[in-house]
């Protein structure tokens, strides 16, 4: 049975009692202290009535109550055990002071509707509660402090030597190089560390949601239009073809490819643009902060590759021992850098300090590339896939004809690709076979030629680069050399094809309408959730509470209020302060450091507001198109 031992510590005119002195010592020193239960009287009756046995554990909460002011001055929370001497042996982990977090104290007391003046009989100082919701909240407040006990290590656990079935080149990542932040047992014999990564990606919720996330055109336009899932599978196929030819690690390549777009929002790139525009003030999301602060990105920014890394390392919940999926840092690095990083978006809003210590960010010139060759392969495979299926969408939708597309290739840098496509068209025309839809077949062959052209070019060009770096025996995570790439001619061709697609597809009126609707839906959802956070999924609301509890600054963590479980007036007051209170003076820099702020209370409000905003962003970004539309219909 889960028990909470509630001790009333009565003091007069703020003088410190012996009970309070011991609780304070335990809290500061994290040392054991004792609450001695009298052998007779009300406390002893309480113990006997509860039928508590020696060795039973629970949570202790000591309420320091000032009689003269009829208020609780502070609350100590810790773990306790009923020992052989029939006393409570405890260690305190939290001390919540009313001057810093009165609403948090009020929320705890309100949960059990406790009145210290009337609920404790004369001579009684101990009550024992079996209320599960009270125990769970206090346990979370304790565990958020004890979180550091979860050992983070950037060193790999002792790994078994796995015999790879194919020969890896010197620049490939070997299984022994796999590095995880949280210690785990080695994989079983016959399985590799990077296979474990791939399986974790495929089996997570975010991967399954890709099936209902649009690429450019929404999936509702027809089964043959691409979604994020089909795009991901295409990138995976292309990346593995390149990696195999270059003797790179196929398991790592596949893990990165399958995870690269986990962070995409509903409604394609317009969804992520809208979220970022809200965060930087280009779109009014109802945030109670000046435009100047938004321009300075006081709440951070958003880009899907950053979000993909956050999903892998924090947001997915599948394991009791660590947050996220604990995939190797090689996978996180490759997923993060499958598209260019942006200087204005802080990595710290998406990755913990431990990950930041293992992954290189943007250099002085604004350049970033995946550290591993496998990550660089996925970067280039994503480009190839996008060129192929963007042309496919353009031709299939009718915004561009085949003749028009071939005509667009009538320039020198496209001559080889044009010849290959024309040969395919001639082959179809000269074939004696009967086709159900000759036009559809022609499109399929064009896309195939485009993809094959670029794959062959990357393999040929990169193999030459690898030969130039044959002296390198191991690629480390601090590598900044981009070796996997198009040849100069293919790079120009890729840029030219992208330009054609932007003119014909991205700027198409139908896409423009879809983007407009996406912008409206995402903005409406954000505003509604910000105005009333209780509209968020209960798991997200509780996550806001947990993140506040886990904040490194004690003034913030002690002030945490559970919006899922409290009186209406208390929760409303908390929401009003977090979402609407005007902060007059922001520090010029270092917003996340309390020492930069004139008023610590303003800092607390800012931190809570940022936690709320980032959780709203996470919630919306994780939606499928269908779920976002349903939520919009419910809330508009």
């Amino acid at each position: 049975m889960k028990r909470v031992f509630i001790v009333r510590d009565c003091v007069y005119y703020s003088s410190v009692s012996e009970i309070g002195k011991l609780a304070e010592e335990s809290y500061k020193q994290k040392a054991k202290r004792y609450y001695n239960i009298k052998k007779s009287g009300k406390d002893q009756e309480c113990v006997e009535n509860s039928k508590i046995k020696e060795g039973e554990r629970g949570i202790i909460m000591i309420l320091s109550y000032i009689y003269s002011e009829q208020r609780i001055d502070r609350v100590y929370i810790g773990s306790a055990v009923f020992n052989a001497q029939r006393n409570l042996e405890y260690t305190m982990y939290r001390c919540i002071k009313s001057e810093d977090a009165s609403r948090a104290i009020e929320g705890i007391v309100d949960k059990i509707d406790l009145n210290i003046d009337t609920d404790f009989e004369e001579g009684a100082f101990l009550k024992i509660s079996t209320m599960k919701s009270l125990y769970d909240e206090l346990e979370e407040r304790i565990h958020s402090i004890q979180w550091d006990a979860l050992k983070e290590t950037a060193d790999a656990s002792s790994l078994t030597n796995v015999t790879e079935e194919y020969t890896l080149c010197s620049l490939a990542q070997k299984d022994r190089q796999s590095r995880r932040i949280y210690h785990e047992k080695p994989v079983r014999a016959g399985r590799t560390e990077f296979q474990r990564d791939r399986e974790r990606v495929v089996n997570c919720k975010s991967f399954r949601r890709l099936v209902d996330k649009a690429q450019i055109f929404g999936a509702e336009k027809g089964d043959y239009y691409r979604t994020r899932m089909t795009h991901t599978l295409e990138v995976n196929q292309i990346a593995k073809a390149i990696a195999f030819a270059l003797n790179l690690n196929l398991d790592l390549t596949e893990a990165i490819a399958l995870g690269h777009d986990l962070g995409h929002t509903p409604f394609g790139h317009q969804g992520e643009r809208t979220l970022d525009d809200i965060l930087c003030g280009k779109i009014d999301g109802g945030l109670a902060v000046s435009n100047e602060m938004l321009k300075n990105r006081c709440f951070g920014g958003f880009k899907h590759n950053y979000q993909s890394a956050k999903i892998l390392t924090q947001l997915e919940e599948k394991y009791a021992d660590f947050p996220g999926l604990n995939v190797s840092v090689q996978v996180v690095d490759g997923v993060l850098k499958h598209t260019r990083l942006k200087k204005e978006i802080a990595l710290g809003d998406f990755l913990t300090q431990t990950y930041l210590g293992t992954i290189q960010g943007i250099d002085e010139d604004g350049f970033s590339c995946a550290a591993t060759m496998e990550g660089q392969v996925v970067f280039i495979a994503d480009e190839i896939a996008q060129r192929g299926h963007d042309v496919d969408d353009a031709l299939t939708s009718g915004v561009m004809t085949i003749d028009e597309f071939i005509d667009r290739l009538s320039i020198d840098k496209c001559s080889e690709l044009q010849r290959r496509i024309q040969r395919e068209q001639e082959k179809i025309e000269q074939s004696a076979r009967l086709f159900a839809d000759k036009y559809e077949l022609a499109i399929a062959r064009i896309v195939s030629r485009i993809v094959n052209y670029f794959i062959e070019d990357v393999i040929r060009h990169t193999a030459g680069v690898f030969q130039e770096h044959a002296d390198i025996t191991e690629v480390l995570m601090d590598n900044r050399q981009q070796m996997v790439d198009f040849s100069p001619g293919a790079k120009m061709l890729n840029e030219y094809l992208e330009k054609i697609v932007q003119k014909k597809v991205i700027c198409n009126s139908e896409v423009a309408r879809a983007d407009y609707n996406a912008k409206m839906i995402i903005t409406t959802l954000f505003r509604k959730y910000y105005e009333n956070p209780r509209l968020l999924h209960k798991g997200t609301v509780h996550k806001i509470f947990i993140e506040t509890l886990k904040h490194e600054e004690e003034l913030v963590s002690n002030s945490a209020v559970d919006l899922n479980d409290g009186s209406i007036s208390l929760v409303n007051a908390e929401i009003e302060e977090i979402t609407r209170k005007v902060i007059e003076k922001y520090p010029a820099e270092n917003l996340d450091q309390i020492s930069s702020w004139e008023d610590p209370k303003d800092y607390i409000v800012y931190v809570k507001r940022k936690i709320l905003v980032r959780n709203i962003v996470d919630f919306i970004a994780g939606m499928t198109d269908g779920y976002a539309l349903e939520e919009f219909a419910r809330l508009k």
Side-chain angles (χ1 to χ4, degrees):
M1 182 181 294
K2 295 182 176 181
R3 303 179 194 267
V4 177
F5 305 103
I6 305 171
V7 178
R8 176 185 65 162
D9 177 29
C10 299
V11 296
Y12 300 87
Y13 304 105
S14 299
S15 61
V16 180
S17 69
E18 184 64 24
I19 293 174
K21 180 181 177 182
L22 292 172
E24 182 72 12
E25 287 177 0
S26 175
Y27 165 68
K28 287 185 174 179
Q29 301 171 21
K30 297 296 179 284
K32 291 180 181 178
R33 294 293 184 269
Y34 300 87
Y35 176 71
N36 298 316
I37 300 171
K38 294 182 179 179
K39 302 304 179 186
S40 61
K42 297 294 183 182
D43 285 3
Q44 183 62 28
E45 287 181 23
C46 177
V47 170
E48 291 175 355
N49 291 338
S50 68
K51 298 181 180 179
I52 186 172
K53 298 177 181 178
E54 177 187 331
E56 279 198 48
R57 296 185 175 275
I59 292 176
I60 186 170
M61 180 170 63
I62 295 180
L63 310 175
S64 181
Y65 183 72
I66 301 178
Y67 257 130
S68 59
E69 301 175 19
Q70 292 189 316
R71 68 177 179 86
I72 297 174
D73 180 55
R74 58 187 63 193
V75 175
Y76 295 94
I77 304 171
S79 58
V81 60
F82 189 66
N83 63 21
Q85 290 73 42
R86 298 179 65 78
N87 291 317
L88 292 175
E89 180 183 313
Y90 65 81
T91 303
M92 292 300 181
Y93 293 99
R94 275 203 182 272
C95 173
I96 305 177
K97 300 176 182 178
S98 61
E99 61 193 72
D100 301 323
S102 60
R103 197 174 293 132
I105 292 176
E106 186 182 343
I108 294 170
V109 174
D110 179 73
K111 187 182 292 289
I112 50 177
D113 195 27
L114 181 68
N115 187 313
I116 290 185
D117 290 327
T118 60
D119 291 348
F120 284 89
E121 298 179 49
E122 186 175 350
F125 295 89
L126 175 68
K127 289 177 71 71
I128 299 178
S129 171
T130 57
M131 182 182 288
K132 183 179 182 299
S133 60
L134 174 65
Y135 184 95
D136 290 346
E137 176 175 335
L138 298 180
E139 184 180 45
E140 286 176 336
R141 290 182 181 271
I142 291 173
H143 283 183
S144 64
I145 291 291
Q146 294 176 326
W147 182 253
D148 289 339
L150 178 60
K151 180 65 176 174
E152 287 187 342
T153 172
D155 297 322
S157 56
S158 56
L159 301 176
T160 55
N161 290 322
V162 178
T163 302
E164 279 117 357
E165 295 182 359
Y166 47 91
T167 303
L168 299 179
C169 74
S170 61
L171 296 174
Q173 290 290 298
K174 315 304 188 294
D175 208 54
R176 59 180 168 73
Q177 291 179 266
S178 171
R179 303 171 69 190
R180 299 183 193 279
I181 295 301
Y182 300 103
H183 175 82
E184 287 193 70
K185 292 179 180 179
V187 294
R188 65 177 182 270
R191 184 171 176 239
T192 72
E193 289 291 330
F194 296 125
Q195 283 176 358
R196 173 190 269 175
D197 291 336
R198 179 190 63 212
E199 289 156 12
R200 288 184 174 180
V201 170
V202 170
N203 287 300
C204 74
K205 288 181 180 178
S206 298
F207 183 78
R208 294 194 292 273
R209 289 178 183 145
L210 295 177
V211 75
D212 186 25
K213 291 195 176 188
Q215 188 75 11
I216 294 179
F217 291 119
E220 71 276 6
K221 287 184 61 63
D223 291 342
Y224 50 85
Y225 284 88
R226 285 169 176 82
T227 65
R228 283 290 157 196
M229 177 65 82
T230 57
H231 165 71
T232 294
L233 296 176
E234 289 171 23
V235 171
N236 183 51
Q237 176 182 321
I238 294 168
K240 286 172 66 179
I242 296 172
F244 182 80
L246 296 173
N247 293 320
L248 296 173
N249 194 308
L250 291 179
D251 293 327
L252 174 57
T253 302
E254 192 165 21
I256 297 170
L258 293 174
H260 83 281
D261 265 359
L262 294 180
H264 249 298
T265 63
F267 313 124
H269 284 282
Q270 183 58 42
E272 71 171 331
R273 284 194 294 267
T274 301
L275 284 177
D276 191 62
D277 286 347
I278 290 171
L279 292 172
C280 69
K282 292 180 181 178
I283 295 176
D284 182 8
L287 297 170
V289 65
S290 69
N291 285 332
E292 188 63 30
M293 291 307 301
L294 289 173
K295 288 179 182 177
N296 291 333
R297 294 190 176 270
C298 62
F299 296 129
F302 185 87
K303 201 166 184 281
H304 75 275
N305 52 319
Y306 291 73
Q307 188 72 5
S308 296
K310 186 175 184 180
I311 286 170
L312 292 173
T313 60
Q314 297 182 60
L315 298 184
E316 279 287 342
E317 290 280 5
K318 287 195 61 130
Y319 301 96
D321 295 332
F322 45 77
L325 300 178
N326 197 31
V327 295
S328 64
V329 294
Q330 284 91 339
V331 173
V332 178
D333 178 84
V335 165
L336 174 67
K337 297 173 184 173
H338 81 268
T339 188
R340 300 296 185 196
L341 302 182
K342 287 188 174 182
K343 276 190 173 181
E344 63 269 25
I345 298 181
L347 274 172
D349 288 328
F350 299 86
L351 293 174
T352 65
Q353 285 301 316
T354 310
Y355 279 101
L356 292 177
T358 63
I359 293 175
Q360 297 290 323
I362 302 176
D363 63 21
E364 310 79 49
D365 300 322
F367 178 75
S368 63
C369 68
T372 67
M373 298 302 102
E374 291 80 1
Q376 293 183 18
V377 164
V378 173
F379 174 91
I380 214 74
D382 191 36
E383 281 289 305
I384 294 171
Q386 287 183 48
R387 293 297 79 74
H389 63 57
D390 286 351
V391 171
D392 190 357
D393 286 342
L395 298 178
T396 302
S397 65
V399 298
M400 180 184 286
T401 66
I402 292 176
D403 289 341
E404 183 182 0
F405 177 70
I406 294 176
D407 181 61
R408 293 270 185 170
L409 300 180
S410 300
I411 56 177
D412 289 342
K413 57 185 167 187
C414 302
S415 57
E416 175 58 28
L417 178 61
Q418 187 188 49
R419 278 195 296 272
R420 294 189 184 191
I421 290 174
Q422 286 175 332
R423 281 199 299 268
E424 288 291 334
Q425 299 304 299
E426 291 169 2
K427 185 177 179 180
I428 294 172
E429 291 299 329
Q430 294 169 5
S431 175
R433 192 166 73 85
L434 299 177
F435 304 111
D437 190 330
K438 187 180 290 187
Y439 191 80
E440 185 176 325
L441 175 62
I443 293 174
R445 299 313 305 153
I446 289 173
V447 173
S448 177
R449 285 296 93 203
I450 291 171
V451 171
N452 287 338
Y453 175 88
F454 283 123
I455 289 175
E456 291 171 7
D457 177 85
V458 169
I459 291 171
R460 184 171 52 253
H461 175 75
T462 304
V465 175
F466 278 11
Q467 286 182 353
E468 294 173 7
H469 294 85
D471 57 323
I472 299 177
T473 58
E474 189 174 71
V475 175
L476 303 177
M477 292 306 296
D478 61 354
N479 170 58
R480 287 182 177 273
Q481 278 190 292
Q482 183 170 352
M483 300 185 222
V484 181
D485 206 349
F486 296 119
S487 67
K491 185 176 293 186
M492 286 190 293
L493 175 56
N494 176 55
E495 292 170 354
Y496 178 71
L497 290 180
E498 184 179 19
K499 189 177 177 181
I500 293 174
V501 171
Q502 285 180 341
K503 283 183 178 179
K504 284 291 184 177
V505 178
I506 307 298
C507 299
N508 177 265
S509 60
E510 190 172 350
V511 174
R513 282 194 297 272
D515 284 351
Y516 173 80
N517 289 333
K519 178 180 176 181
M520 177 194 55
I521 292 169
I522 297 291
T523 302
T524 300
L525 290 177
F526 186 94
R527 291 183 67 96
K528 294 291 185 181
Y529 293 139
Y530 182 77
E531 290 167 2
N532 186 359
R534 285 173 296 187
L535 295 174
L536 291 161
H537 183 273
K538 66 178 182 179
T540 301
V541 176
H542 193 64
K543 185 167 169 286
I544 293 169
F545 176 60
I546 294 298
E547 286 189 20
T548 309
L549 282 179
K550 287 168 58 179
H551 195 274
E552 60 185 9
E553 187 59 55
E554 194 172 28
L555 286 176
V556 175
S557 62
N558 278 343
S559 71
V561 173
D562 190 350
L563 303 182
N564 270 331
D565 193 359
S567 70
I568 295 298
S569 59
L570 176 71
V571 170
N572 285 344
E574 180 74 3
I575 290 174
E576 178 67 21
E577 181 174 75
I578 294 174
T579 61
R580 291 285 155 237
K581 181 182 177 183
V582 176
I583 300 175
E584 299 290 348
K585 293 184 179 180
Y586 279 87
E589 53 188 16
N590 299 325
L591 289 172
D592 293 322
Q593 297 179 13
I594 193 171
S595 58
S596 302
W597 292 72
E598 289 185 21
D599 188 347
K601 292 182 178 179
D602 284 345
Y603 171 77
I604 293 172
V605 173
Y606 162 71
V607 170
K608 286 184 171 182
R609 190 170 292 168
K610 185 173 182 179
I611 289 173
L612 170 63
V613 168
R614 296 308 311 188
N615 272 278
I616 292 173
V617 168
D618 289 343
F619 184 55
I620 293 175
M623 292 179 178
T624 62
D625 293 5
Y627 185 80
L629 288 167
E630 290 173 8
E631 277 289 275
F632 177 73
R634 282 195 290 264
L635 299 178
K636 67 179 180 179

